[in-house]
Amino acid sequence: MTDQISYEVTLEDLAALMKRTAGVSVDPDQFARQADAGFDTFGLDSLGLLGIVAELEKRYGLSMPPDAERCKSPAEFLALINSALTTGV
């Protein structure tokens, strides 16, 4: 039997990262309701998203997919990031 640690970034984690790395505060309820809306809806630009990607790479010791900083919505971003964390790629 192998011990596999599974990581998952949640909307709450992403909201905290947005605040810490980009200074963008979002209402958690609105964020959850509008997870398919564009990051620009929440005031996050591509540079802010790049900072979040860098923070996640540092946190998990993995390179994130090159498309991560091009994701348009929180839902798209989390799907890509969590897939990478699950597969280790």
Side-chain angles (χ1 to χ4, degrees):
M1 181 167 19
T2 61
D3 291 332
Q4 182 176 355
I5 298 174
S6 155
Y7 299 107
E8 180 181 34
V9 179
T10 65
L11 276 172
E12 292 80 14
D13 297 329
L14 181 55
L17 284 166
M18 287 171 64
K19 183 170 183 152
R20 187 170 61 249
T21 64
V24 175
S25 296
V26 294
D27 176 319
D29 293 330
Q30 178 190 12
F31 201 43
R33 284 190 311 272
Q34 294 182 302
D36 288 320
F39 276 113
D40 57 341
T41 301
F42 304 103
L44 186 72
D45 61 14
S46 59
L47 189 57
L49 189 56
L50 191 58
I52 291 169
V53 170
E55 179 66 27
L56 289 171
E57 288 178 336
K58 186 168 61 170
R59 179 184 294 178
Y60 296 112
L62 293 171
S63 291
M64 293 296 130
D67 291 341
E69 65 260 11
R70 291 190 286 275
C71 288
K72 301 295 182 200
S73 71
E76 178 186 359
F77 181 77
L78 289 176
L80 183 65
I81 293 299
N82 287 326
S83 175
L85 290 173
T86 299
T87 62
V89 178

